[in-house]
mmCIF file of all heavy atoms in Angstrom:
data_model
loop_
_atom_site.group_PDB
_atom_site.id
_atom_site.type_symbol
_atom_site.label_atom_id
_atom_site.label_comp_id
_atom_site.label_asym_id
_atom_site.label_seq_id
_atom_site.Cartn_x
_atom_site.Cartn_y
_atom_site.Cartn_z
ATOM 1 N N MET A 1 132.249 -91.565 169.696
ATOM 2 C CA MET A 1 131.882 -91.223 171.066
ATOM 3 C C MET A 1 132.187 -92.421 171.900
ATOM 4 O O MET A 1 131.831 -93.492 171.711
ATOM 5 C CB MET A 1 130.428 -90.877 171.203
ATOM 6 C CG MET A 1 130.012 -90.441 172.466
ATOM 7 S SD MET A 1 128.267 -90.041 172.590
ATOM 8 C CE MET A 1 127.426 -91.387 172.458
ATOM 9 N N TYR A 21 145.284 -93.324 178.152
ATOM 10 C CA TYR A 21 144.404 -92.647 179.254
ATOM 11 C C TYR A 21 143.252 -91.839 178.540
ATOM 12 O O TYR A 21 143.329 -91.416 177.339
ATOM 13 C CB TYR A 21 145.122 -91.681 180.264
ATOM 14 C CG TYR A 21 145.800 -90.478 179.564
ATOM 15 C CD1 TYR A 21 145.013 -89.226 179.801
ATOM 16 C CD2 TYR A 21 146.923 -90.383 178.932
ATOM 17 C CE1 TYR A 21 145.465 -88.038 179.245
ATOM 18 C CE2 TYR A 21 147.359 -89.222 178.366
ATOM 19 C CZ TYR A 21 146.661 -88.008 178.522
ATOM 20 O OH TYR A 21 147.087 -86.888 177.937
ATOM 21 N N GLN A 27 140.303 -81.433 182.217
ATOM 22 C CA GLN A 27 141.563 -82.045 182.460
ATOM 23 C C GLN A 27 141.671 -83.062 183.579
ATOM 24 O O GLN A 27 142.802 -83.236 184.069
ATOM 25 C CB GLN A 27 142.737 -80.927 182.570
ATOM 26 C CG GLN A 27 142.745 -79.979 181.451
ATOM 27 C CD GLN A 27 143.091 -80.744 180.083
ATOM 28 O OE1 GLN A 27 143.966 -81.563 180.016
ATOM 29 N NE2 GLN A 27 142.231 -80.439 179.060
ATOM 30 N N LYS A 34 146.896 -101.868 183.119
ATOM 31 C CA LYS A 34 147.488 -102.811 182.181
ATOM 32 C C LYS A 34 146.682 -103.991 181.751
ATOM 33 O O LYS A 34 146.838 -104.554 180.797
ATOM 34 C CB LYS A 34 148.802 -103.240 182.994
ATOM 35 C CG LYS A 34 148.601 -104.312 184.216
ATOM 36 C CD LYS A 34 149.958 -104.695 184.660
ATOM 37 C CE LYS A 34 149.736 -105.683 185.887
ATOM 38 N NZ LYS A 34 149.047 -104.977 187.070
ATOM 39 N N HIS A 45 134.376 -90.881 196.078
ATOM 40 C CA HIS A 45 133.160 -91.643 195.980
ATOM 41 C C HIS A 45 133.150 -92.990 196.600
ATOM 42 O O HIS A 45 132.148 -93.794 196.549
ATOM 43 C CB HIS A 45 132.729 -91.763 194.412
ATOM 44 C CG HIS A 45 132.433 -90.502 193.882
ATOM 45 N ND1 HIS A 45 132.449 -90.336 192.413
ATOM 46 C CD2 HIS A 45 132.255 -89.189 194.250
ATOM 47 C CE1 HIS A 45 132.111 -89.074 192.118
ATOM 48 N NE2 HIS A 45 132.069 -88.430 193.273
ATOM 49 N N GLY A 52 133.381 -103.442 197.424
ATOM 50 C CA GLY A 52 132.944 -104.614 196.705
ATOM 51 C C GLY A 52 133.647 -105.898 197.147
ATOM 52 O O GLY A 52 134.329 -105.849 198.265
ATOM 53 N N MET A 58 135.982 -113.010 194.881
ATOM 54 C CA MET A 58 136.057 -112.965 193.511
ATOM 55 C C MET A 58 136.423 -114.328 192.886
ATOM 56 O O MET A 58 135.832 -114.939 191.982
ATOM 57 C CB MET A 58 136.827 -111.898 192.993
ATOM 58 C CG MET A 58 136.950 -111.796 191.425
ATOM 59 S SD MET A 58 138.089 -113.057 190.573
ATOM 60 C CE MET A 58 139.619 -112.287 191.145
ATOM 61 N N LEU A 65 131.027 -120.425 189.120
ATOM 62 C CA LEU A 65 130.351 -120.103 187.914
ATOM 63 C C LEU A 65 130.973 -120.906 186.759
ATOM 64 O O LEU A 65 130.247 -121.374 185.967
ATOM 65 C CB LEU A 65 130.380 -118.608 187.747
ATOM 66 C CG LEU A 65 129.589 -117.662 188.596
ATOM 67 C CD1 LEU A 65 129.696 -116.204 188.355
ATOM 68 C CD2 LEU A 65 128.113 -118.153 188.387
ATOM 69 N N TYR A 70 125.421 -122.423 186.735
ATOM 70 C CA TYR A 70 124.294 -121.379 186.243
ATOM 71 C C TYR A 70 124.350 -121.258 184.790
ATOM 72 O O TYR A 70 123.738 -120.273 184.264
ATOM 73 C CB TYR A 70 124.776 -120.057 187.006
ATOM 74 C CG TYR A 70 124.327 -119.955 188.380
ATOM 75 C CD1 TYR A 70 123.746 -120.960 189.103
ATOM 76 C CD2 TYR A 70 124.502 -118.648 189.072
ATOM 77 C CE1 TYR A 70 123.637 -120.904 190.575
ATOM 78 C CE2 TYR A 70 124.177 -118.641 190.468
ATOM 79 C CZ TYR A 70 123.711 -119.735 191.226
ATOM 80 O OH TYR A 70 123.302 -119.595 192.447
ATOM 81 N N VAL A 77 118.893 -116.323 179.582
ATOM 82 C CA VAL A 77 119.089 -114.897 179.298
ATOM 83 C C VAL A 77 119.358 -114.643 177.802
ATOM 84 O O VAL A 77 118.803 -113.607 177.270
ATOM 85 C CB VAL A 77 120.191 -114.404 180.242
ATOM 86 C CG1 VAL A 77 120.600 -112.916 179.872
ATOM 87 C CG2 VAL A 77 119.707 -114.446 181.702
ATOM 88 N N ALA A 78 120.335 -115.380 177.406
ATOM 89 C CA ALA A 78 120.746 -115.205 175.883
ATOM 90 C C ALA A 78 119.509 -115.354 174.949
ATOM 91 O O ALA A 78 119.359 -114.623 174.031
ATOM 92 C CB ALA A 78 121.862 -116.194 175.512
ATOM 93 N N LEU A 91 124.180 -103.436 169.153
ATOM 94 C CA LEU A 91 123.543 -103.099 170.424
ATOM 95 C C LEU A 91 124.537 -102.742 171.445
ATOM 96 O O LEU A 91 125.487 -103.602 171.537
ATOM 97 C CB LEU A 91 122.581 -104.198 170.896
ATOM 98 C CG LEU A 91 121.315 -104.466 170.064
ATOM 99 C CD1 LEU A 91 120.589 -105.640 170.695
ATOM 100 C CD2 LEU A 91 120.502 -103.285 169.794
ATOM 101 N N GLY A 109 129.187 -115.375 173.812
ATOM 102 C CA GLY A 109 129.460 -116.735 173.085
ATOM 103 C C GLY A 109 128.221 -117.282 172.637
ATOM 104 O O GLY A 109 128.171 -117.851 171.509
ATOM 105 N N LEU A 119 129.875 -104.891 174.129
ATOM 106 C CA LEU A 119 129.757 -105.254 175.515
ATOM 107 C C LEU A 119 130.534 -104.327 176.474
ATOM 108 O O LEU A 119 131.694 -104.101 176.341
ATOM 109 C CB LEU A 119 130.111 -106.789 175.846
ATOM 110 C CG LEU A 119 129.127 -107.748 175.282
ATOM 111 C CD1 LEU A 119 129.670 -109.067 175.344
ATOM 112 C CD2 LEU A 119 127.942 -107.610 176.337
ATOM 113 N N VAL A 122 130.423 -103.211 184.293
ATOM 114 C CA VAL A 122 130.780 -102.249 185.440
ATOM 115 C C VAL A 122 130.533 -102.979 186.720
ATOM 116 O O VAL A 122 129.558 -103.641 186.962
ATOM 117 C CB VAL A 122 129.977 -100.963 185.386
ATOM 118 C CG1 VAL A 122 128.466 -101.161 185.495
ATOM 119 C CG2 VAL A 122 130.402 -99.837 186.316
ATOM 120 N N GLN A 154 121.738 -91.894 177.583
ATOM 121 C CA GLN A 154 121.011 -92.545 176.412
ATOM 122 C C GLN A 154 122.031 -93.186 175.675
ATOM 123 O O GLN A 154 121.943 -93.248 174.339
ATOM 124 C CB GLN A 154 120.041 -91.626 175.588
ATOM 125 C CG GLN A 154 118.972 -90.982 176.511
ATOM 126 C CD GLN A 154 118.088 -90.098 175.618
ATOM 127 O OE1 GLN A 154 118.227 -90.054 174.285
ATOM 128 N NE2 GLN A 154 117.045 -89.497 176.344
ATOM 129 N N TYR A 155 123.012 -93.940 176.183
ATOM 130 C CA TYR A 155 124.020 -94.533 175.550
ATOM 131 C C TYR A 155 123.743 -96.018 175.170
ATOM 132 O O TYR A 155 124.131 -96.508 174.063
ATOM 133 C CB TYR A 155 125.330 -94.438 176.200
ATOM 134 C CG TYR A 155 126.581 -95.014 175.430
ATOM 135 C CD1 TYR A 155 127.106 -94.349 174.385
ATOM 136 C CD2 TYR A 155 127.075 -96.155 175.871
ATOM 137 C CE1 TYR A 155 128.200 -94.863 173.557
ATOM 138 C CE2 TYR A 155 128.320 -96.757 175.146
ATOM 139 C CZ TYR A 155 128.849 -96.063 174.151
ATOM 140 O OH TYR A 155 129.858 -96.658 173.378
ATOM 141 N N ALA A 164 122.257 -107.928 190.874
ATOM 142 C CA ALA A 164 122.990 -106.748 191.162
ATOM 143 C C ALA A 164 122.192 -105.678 191.757
ATOM 144 O O ALA A 164 121.031 -105.381 191.147
ATOM 145 C CB ALA A 164 123.847 -106.387 189.975
ATOM 146 N N LEU A 175 119.983 -95.485 179.457
ATOM 147 C CA LEU A 175 119.222 -96.350 178.411
ATOM 148 C C LEU A 175 118.765 -95.314 177.393
ATOM 149 O O LEU A 175 118.080 -94.249 177.696
ATOM 150 C CB LEU A 175 118.229 -97.082 178.985
ATOM 151 C CG LEU A 175 118.600 -98.567 179.474
ATOM 152 C CD1 LEU A 175 117.510 -99.055 180.332
ATOM 153 C CD2 LEU A 175 118.973 -99.333 178.307
ATOM 154 N N LEU A 181 115.769 -103.427 179.752
ATOM 155 C CA LEU A 181 116.375 -103.845 181.097
ATOM 156 C C LEU A 181 116.047 -105.276 181.356
ATOM 157 O O LEU A 181 114.870 -105.698 181.393
ATOM 158 C CB LEU A 181 115.870 -103.029 182.158
ATOM 159 C CG LEU A 181 116.278 -103.379 183.689
ATOM 160 C CD1 LEU A 181 117.755 -103.314 183.789
ATOM 161 C CD2 LEU A 181 115.598 -102.526 184.633
ATOM 162 N N THR A 185 116.562 -112.098 189.183
ATOM 163 C CA THR A 185 116.580 -112.185 190.672
ATOM 164 C C THR A 185 116.349 -113.576 191.181
ATOM 165 O O THR A 185 115.803 -114.453 190.381
ATOM 166 C CB THR A 185 115.458 -111.199 190.936
ATOM 167 O OG1 THR A 185 114.256 -111.552 190.432
ATOM 168 C CG2 THR A 185 115.747 -109.673 190.826
ATOM 169 N N ALA A 200 117.346 -122.160 210.986
ATOM 170 C CA ALA A 200 116.494 -123.284 211.637
ATOM 171 C C ALA A 200 115.135 -123.337 210.946
ATOM 172 O O ALA A 200 114.498 -124.455 210.898
ATOM 173 C CB ALA A 200 116.271 -122.915 213.121
ATOM 174 N N LEU A 207 108.237 -113.263 195.520
ATOM 175 C CA LEU A 207 108.968 -112.875 194.406
ATOM 176 C C LEU A 207 109.447 -111.300 194.575
ATOM 177 O O LEU A 207 108.446 -110.616 194.805
ATOM 178 C CB LEU A 207 108.168 -113.088 193.177
ATOM 179 C CG LEU A 207 107.870 -114.554 192.704
ATOM 180 C CD1 LEU A 207 106.935 -114.561 191.613
ATOM 181 C CD2 LEU A 207 109.316 -115.197 192.308
ATOM 182 N N LEU A 218 107.644 -106.472 180.091
ATOM 183 C CA LEU A 218 107.337 -107.149 178.897
ATOM 184 C C LEU A 218 107.106 -108.647 179.039
ATOM 185 O O LEU A 218 106.183 -109.352 178.583
ATOM 186 C CB LEU A 218 108.575 -106.933 177.834
ATOM 187 C CG LEU A 218 108.770 -105.524 177.424
ATOM 188 C CD1 LEU A 218 109.867 -105.610 176.448
ATOM 189 C CD2 LEU A 218 107.571 -105.006 176.749
ATOM 190 N N GLN A 224 113.808 -123.168 187.095
ATOM 191 C CA GLN A 224 114.119 -123.976 188.328
ATOM 192 C C GLN A 224 114.806 -125.252 187.838
ATOM 193 O O GLN A 224 114.267 -125.963 186.901
ATOM 194 C CB GLN A 224 112.938 -124.316 189.085
ATOM 195 C CG GLN A 224 112.210 -123.036 189.706
ATOM 196 C CD GLN A 224 110.881 -123.393 190.278
ATOM 197 O OE1 GLN A 224 109.813 -123.404 189.641
ATOM 198 N NE2 GLN A 224 110.872 -123.862 191.636
ATOM 199 N N PRO A 231 131.929 -130.520 197.335
ATOM 200 C CA PRO A 231 132.184 -129.823 198.569
ATOM 201 C C PRO A 231 132.949 -128.450 198.364
ATOM 202 O O PRO A 231 132.531 -127.340 198.940
ATOM 203 C CB PRO A 231 133.077 -130.768 199.393
ATOM 204 C CG PRO A 231 132.482 -132.129 198.914
ATOM 205 C CD PRO A 231 132.322 -131.977 197.445
ATOM 206 N N GLN A 252 129.196 -124.471 208.088
ATOM 207 C CA GLN A 252 130.156 -124.469 207.031
ATOM 208 C C GLN A 252 130.616 -125.850 206.966
ATOM 209 O O GLN A 252 130.665 -126.416 205.702
ATOM 210 C CB GLN A 252 131.293 -123.444 207.164
ATOM 211 C CG GLN A 252 130.766 -121.963 207.079
ATOM 212 C CD GLN A 252 132.050 -121.124 207.234
ATOM 213 O OE1 GLN A 252 133.034 -121.242 206.741
ATOM 214 N NE2 GLN A 252 131.823 -119.984 208.091
ATOM 215 N N LEU A 255 128.001 -128.288 205.678
ATOM 216 C CA LEU A 255 127.591 -128.050 204.273
ATOM 217 C C LEU A 255 128.578 -128.839 203.383
ATOM 218 O O LEU A 255 128.252 -129.312 202.276
ATOM 219 C CB LEU A 255 127.667 -126.627 204.007
ATOM 220 C CG LEU A 255 127.328 -126.148 202.482
ATOM 221 C CD1 LEU A 255 126.020 -126.585 202.091
ATOM 222 C CD2 LEU A 255 127.501 -124.649 202.255
#
Side-chain angles (χ1 to χ4, degrees):
M1 185 175 68
Y21 70 96
Q27 299 307 308
K34 65 180 187 297
H45 293 168
M58 182 276 294
L65 290 174
Y70 283 4
V77 169
L91 299 179
L119 281 166
V122 62
Q154 299 185 6
Y155 184 71
L175 272 169
L181 173 63
T185 53
L207 288 173
L218 297 180
Q224 296 173 271
Q252 294 177 43
L255 177 63

